[in-house]
Amino acid sequence: TGSDNNPGTLQQPWLTPHKARDILQAGDKVYFRQGTYPITTRVSFNMNAGTQALPIIYASYPGEIATIAYSGTQDPGPQANLIFYVAQAYHHFENLRLTQTAESRAALTNIPRSISAFSVWAQGTEIRDCEIFDVSGQGIYASANADDMIVERNHIHHITPVSFSLAAPHGVYTDGQNQIIRDNEIHDIFFFCIKMSTDATGQVYRNFCYKAGEGITCQNGPGTNLDVDIYNNVIAYMEYHASNAPGSGIDVYNGGRARVYNNTIAFCNYGAFVNNTPNTPVFRNNIFFQNNTHVITWRDAIDMNYNLYYPYVGNLFTSNTKSFSGDLAAWASLYGETNSLGADPQLVGGGLTVGD
């Protein structure tokens, strides 16, 4: 309980996140007490900015967990269909749960209108230790203005659309520079678990991505500044579905530079999907395990070496530019991947088996 007429103390708390947004200044931190906070309009963090040294912080009270639940059943319009809209710099969000109620999803299905959790349009946003689930839009969307964003230790799951006519939802989608996306568990996502798009730069590492349309994707048109390191991730159970999601573990598509190393990619339709990007992607020291196809490419050259594949006999490698489909030995000869190995890493039982 609380009132927005209160002073916002532990004994006399505010009622709504909108009130906290109006009051907080650089260096302030507000705690949400345990419970569910239903909202029917987005919370726009557009009043005051933090600084790099003095961010504005929104967090659950220590030892508790607060849930922000979008419960609107009327069409919010195409610019307000989200929970948190971050329009001022250096806002941090810690240990919060963001979701959409079943009643809201049902009511917005016939419009149709999706609801995203975060839409970030400002520098220095950090989202950590949060759970984002059961929303019908993006889990986290970050624009080209959202530089220096950190997304870490979050659990993002069950992101599915209310209608296939809407933009396909992702776990994390960013166009920003200097992004750090690490240590997240992301699963049961309709489309991409993580998408680095347009001019995004940064690092994507130590994430566990499973059961989605695609795992980690670097994608946009030729000539972009996209530049990403993807390493030490586990990606499993990516499945093809009809909305242009080929079921790739890692997708490098139409531009940008990507360095992909020390990842485990297992039980996917495609392990690596490399389209006709003008920059040669680098794949080193990855494990490809029990994928329907380990690598499919539209490029004449890929810098792939020191990877481990299992199985490695059969039509597990495809080059559409070279009209090739075959096994590791033939692929290695064709693409110069002479230091890679075909062997069983015996991963099943070592933490990769994912249940329902």
Side-chain angles (χ1 to χ4, degrees):
T1 61
S3 169
D4 285 345
N5 293 320
N6 283 344
T9 63
L10 184 62
Q11 292 74 27
Q12 294 181 289
W14 295 316
L15 178 63
T16 69
H18 301 82
K19 179 64 176 183
R21 177 274 319 274
D22 293 343
I23 299 298
L24 266 59
Q25 304 282 335
D28 288 341
K29 184 173 186 177
V30 66
Y31 287 113
F32 290 75
R33 298 307 305 268
Q34 177 127 353
T36 298
Y37 297 78
I39 63 170
T40 57
T41 60
R42 73 181 188 184
V43 183
S44 298
F45 299 95
N46 56 1
M47 300 296 289
N48 301 307
T51 68
Q52 187 171 13
L54 297 170
I56 297 174
I57 303 175
Y58 296 81
S60 289
Y61 192 78
E64 300 180 358
I65 186 70
T67 300
I68 315 299
Y70 188 92
S71 56
T73 57
Q74 302 298 314
D75 186 3
Q79 303 302 317
N81 55 326
L82 50 103
I83 300 173
F84 282 174
Y85 172 66
V86 186
Q88 289 283 8
Y90 296 103
H91 278 65
H92 295 184
F93 303 88
E94 301 174 354
N95 195 31
L96 297 168
R97 301 172 83 231
L98 277 71
T99 190
Q100 180 182 6
T101 66
E103 293 77 11
S104 174
R105 287 182 63 97
L108 299 181
T109 296
N110 294 328
I111 296 173
R113 185 73 68 204
S114 62
I115 300 296
S116 298
F118 281 94
S119 184
V120 181
W121 292 74
Q123 182 181 16
T125 300
E126 298 185 8
I127 303 169
R128 61 172 53 88
D129 299 314
C130 293
E131 183 180 9
I132 300 168
F133 64 102
D134 285 342
V135 295
S136 52
Q138 312 301 336
I140 299 171
Y141 170 82
S143 75
N145 297 321
D147 295 342
D148 306 314
M149 182 176 74
I150 298 175
V151 176
E152 62 181 356
R153 300 193 304 269
N154 301 289
H155 185 194
I156 304 172
H157 60 99
H158 292 91
I159 310 293
T160 56
V162 295
S163 170
F164 292 156
S165 67
L166 299 174
H170 311 303
V172 180
Y173 178 112
T174 180
D175 290 338
Q177 301 275 302
N178 193 30
Q179 310 289 282
I180 295 177
I181 302 174
R182 64 188 173 199
D183 299 316
N184 301 285
E185 182 179 356
I186 307 176
H187 64 93
D188 291 278
I189 309 296
F190 180 75
F191 214 174
F192 304 136
C193 288
I194 301 170
K195 182 175 180 179
M196 308 292 285
S197 184
T198 311
D199 290 325
T201 66
Q203 301 178 64
V204 180
Y205 61 99
R206 294 199 309 255
N207 299 285
F208 185 21
C209 301
Y210 58 97
K211 296 177 71 174
E214 293 202 28
I216 300 173
T217 297
C218 299
Q219 180 178 344
N220 216 297
T224 70
N225 295 316
L226 190 146
D227 196 334
V228 181
D229 288 287
I230 301 170
Y231 58 97
N232 294 351
N233 301 282
V234 175
I235 305 165
Y237 298 103
M238 300 298 148
E239 298 180 354
Y240 168 82
H241 61 70
S243 294
N244 296 319
S248 310
I250 293 180
D251 187 335
V252 182
Y253 189 89
N254 282 4
R257 288 157 293 280
R259 291 160 298 280
V260 181
Y261 49 96
N262 296 343
N263 301 282
T264 298
I265 307 164
F267 309 114
C268 298
N269 188 38
Y270 298 115
F273 186 101
V274 184
N275 210 311
N276 192 23
T277 172
N279 300 291
T280 302
V282 178
F283 285 78
R284 298 290 177 93
N285 300 105
N286 302 286
I287 296 173
F288 292 85
F289 181 75
Q290 295 285 12
N291 301 295
N292 292 337
T293 298
H294 288 317
V295 182
I296 183 169
T297 185
W298 283 258
R299 281 190 55 88
D300 288 328
I302 311 177
D303 187 351
M304 300 189 77
N305 231 328
Y306 303 98
N307 301 295
L308 188 150
Y309 299 97
Y310 185 81
Y312 50 91
V313 176
N315 292 330
L316 296 164
F317 302 82
T318 298
S319 171
N320 287 305
T321 54
K322 297 179 183 290
S323 300
F324 166 83
S325 182
D327 62 12
L328 175 59
W331 167 266
S333 176
L334 190 67
Y335 275 92
E337 194 173 351
T338 55
N339 293 304
S340 289
L341 178 67
D344 185 356
Q346 301 184 21
L347 295 178
V348 174
L352 259 182
T353 302
V354 179
D356 294 334

